[in-house]
Amino acid sequence: MPELPEVEFTARQLRTQVVGATISEACVFWKRTIGHPEPEDFAAEIAGRCMLAIRRRGKFLVVDLSGDLFLSLHRRMTGNLLLLPAGWQIDTSLREQDALAWDTKGPRFYQEEQSSGSSGSSGSSDAIAALLAKETAYCRVCFNFADGRRLLFTDPRKFGRITLWPRAQEEGFFAGQGPEPLGDAFTVEGFAGALASRKSSIKQVLLDQQVVAGVGNIYADEALYYAAIHPLRRASTLTLAEVERLHEGIIEVLNRGIEHGGTSFNDYRDLWGEAGDNYNHVRVYHQDGKPCVQCGTLIERMVIAQRSAHYCPTCQQLIVV
Ligand SMILES: [Zn+2]
């Protein structure tokens, strides 16, 4: 599931490509992906809007549009954004041929024939086209730009949501989001205050977007390992020194994640369909059975509130306070 680093990395890529681009049309292939307004109104409202800025709030990607509107995208489990260069076409014939298959797969995207007389495409551009073609599967919404490019929201599991709102409603829409961990609002004092009243496990508390925005399972596990805190530790019992270490750990593992282009465990891809490299740098997440890089003890997995947690039983001892 994409977390802050994956969304941030996509936002940075997108910013270099689509700021100033005009959306000529939005094609909605799976209606429930559009959370607000109704899909028909969404398409009518967004046509002709210019993408003015790309931002991130927690795990939401935010696009400021002309006409004082903003678009929010939440990828949930398997949502990804993919940018196709001009020259790609959409084949929606499956919708008429096999409605059930259409609901699963969505449209097919294909590259227009190269004009004859060109020297032919090189091997590397063939490889890029093949990767893009593969990643276009399961497209739920496609934004067509006036310049011929297309921005696809692909989502095999269909949990991702896109919404469109007047700018005036932004504050209300993001009311459930706590401080941004990479911004000035995320202070040791504020973090300590948020943890002080929480009786549940620190792992659960870190997943609460109101405590700190954008942290999910991967980076919560990594931050707890960094801070040498057991995931089951009751949040309210952390000492100030531990809170400081965890605060530092959250910032450290998120920045490292962005630096490596995000963590692709299964599904996350960047704007060009490429996997992120951070999976090669995680210390505990999905590393159960492998030796801890600090002490050699085998990493263990446990289930806390129906989510898996990964930790080193030696480096992260459970202190009962
Ligand atoms: Zn260890």
Side-chain angles (χ1 to χ4, degrees):
M1 185 190 293
E3 302 177 25
L4 185 153
E6 291 74 40
V7 181
E8 178 65 28
F9 192 72
T10 303
R12 290 180 186 185
Q13 288 188 315
L14 209 51
R15 203 172 288 143
T16 66
Q17 300 296 321
V18 301
V19 169
T22 299
I23 302 166
S24 54
E25 182 189 18
C27 306
V28 179
F29 302 120
W30 178 253
K31 289 186 173 183
R32 285 208 297 256
T33 299
I34 305 300
H36 181 273
E38 291 300 317
E40 295 74 20
D41 298 337
F42 177 88
E45 198 56 54
I46 207 163
R49 306 283 178 188
C50 176
M51 290 192 167
L52 301 177
I54 311 290
R55 297 178 285 132
R56 181 194 54 73
R57 180 74 176 101
K59 298 179 195 171
F60 291 86
L61 186 102
V62 184
V63 183
D64 291 312
L65 298 171
S66 56
D68 277 328
L69 297 175
F70 75 96
L71 200 61
S72 86
L73 292 99
H74 199 299
R75 293 147 79 161
R76 301 272 175 82
M77 300 286 285
T78 57
N80 276 316
L81 284 164
L82 183 76
L83 188 62
L84 286 182
W88 285 72
Q89 299 300 322
I90 309 180
D91 174 3
T92 60
S93 56
L94 187 62
R95 179 158 39 194
E96 285 74 40
Q97 291 162 10
D98 186 342
L100 214 60
W102 166 262
D103 280 352
T104 306
K105 292 180 182 169
R108 186 176 73 86
F109 290 80
Y110 62 97
Q111 212 172 4
E112 276 173 346
E113 292 291 325
Q114 302 287 323
S115 57
S116 58
S118 73
S119 57
S121 49
S122 71
S124 74
S125 74
D126 281 352
I128 293 168
L131 175 70
L132 285 176
K134 176 172 169 281
E135 296 298 329
T136 57
Y138 311 107
C139 178
R140 306 308 174 198
V141 178
C142 176
F143 299 94
N144 299 329
F145 291 115
D147 61 16
R149 294 180 300 164
R150 300 178 193 271
L151 181 64
L152 279 61
F153 184 71
T154 64
D155 189 14
R157 300 281 300 273
K158 300 179 182 167
F159 291 118
R161 289 293 176 268
I162 300 177
T163 62
L164 178 69
W165 302 93
R167 183 103 36 104
Q169 282 173 254
E170 180 171 339
E171 206 173 312
F173 183 75
F174 290 119
Q177 300 292 311
E180 283 292 330
L182 302 182
D184 296 337
F186 184 53
T187 61
V188 172
E189 294 71 30
F191 188 41
L195 300 186
S197 59
R198 305 293 181 123
K199 303 251 181 289
S200 43
S201 73
I202 185 63
K203 173 63 191 281
Q204 273 175 283
V205 172
L206 285 182
L207 299 180
D208 181 344
Q209 299 300 294
Q210 258 178 326
V211 172
V212 49
V215 174
N217 227 21
I218 302 171
Y219 298 95
D221 281 359
E222 294 297 310
L224 287 169
Y225 175 78
Y226 179 99
I229 297 168
H230 194 283
L232 273 182
R233 181 76 176 278
R234 200 182 282 236
S236 58
T237 67
L238 262 59
T239 64
L240 185 58
E242 286 174 321
V243 173
E244 281 173 353
R245 278 210 312 273
L246 186 54
H247 179 267
E248 183 183 291
I250 290 168
I251 295 167
E252 170 68 23
V253 299
L254 291 174
N255 275 325
R256 212 189 289 159
I258 296 169
E259 205 177 297
H260 293 131
T263 306
S264 295
F265 175 62
N266 276 328
D267 301 298
Y268 160 73
R269 296 289 181 272
D270 75 2
L271 197 57
W272 313 120
E274 304 273 1
D277 180 48
N278 196 53
Y279 186 59
N280 298 314
H281 302 273
V282 295
R283 302 288 163 84
V284 287
Y285 184 73
H286 276 258
Q287 302 302 301
D288 35 316
K290 294 183 188 166
C292 167
V293 295
Q294 289 186 73
C295 73
T297 308
L298 298 185
I299 302 297
E300 289 182 10
R301 173 182 180 274
M302 70 187 329
V303 174
I304 303 174
Q306 290 148 7
R307 305 288 301 272
S308 62
H310 309 83
Y311 66 103
C312 170
T314 303
C315 294
Q316 297 165 267
Q317 301 222 355
L318 181 58
I319 305 159
V320 181
V321 184

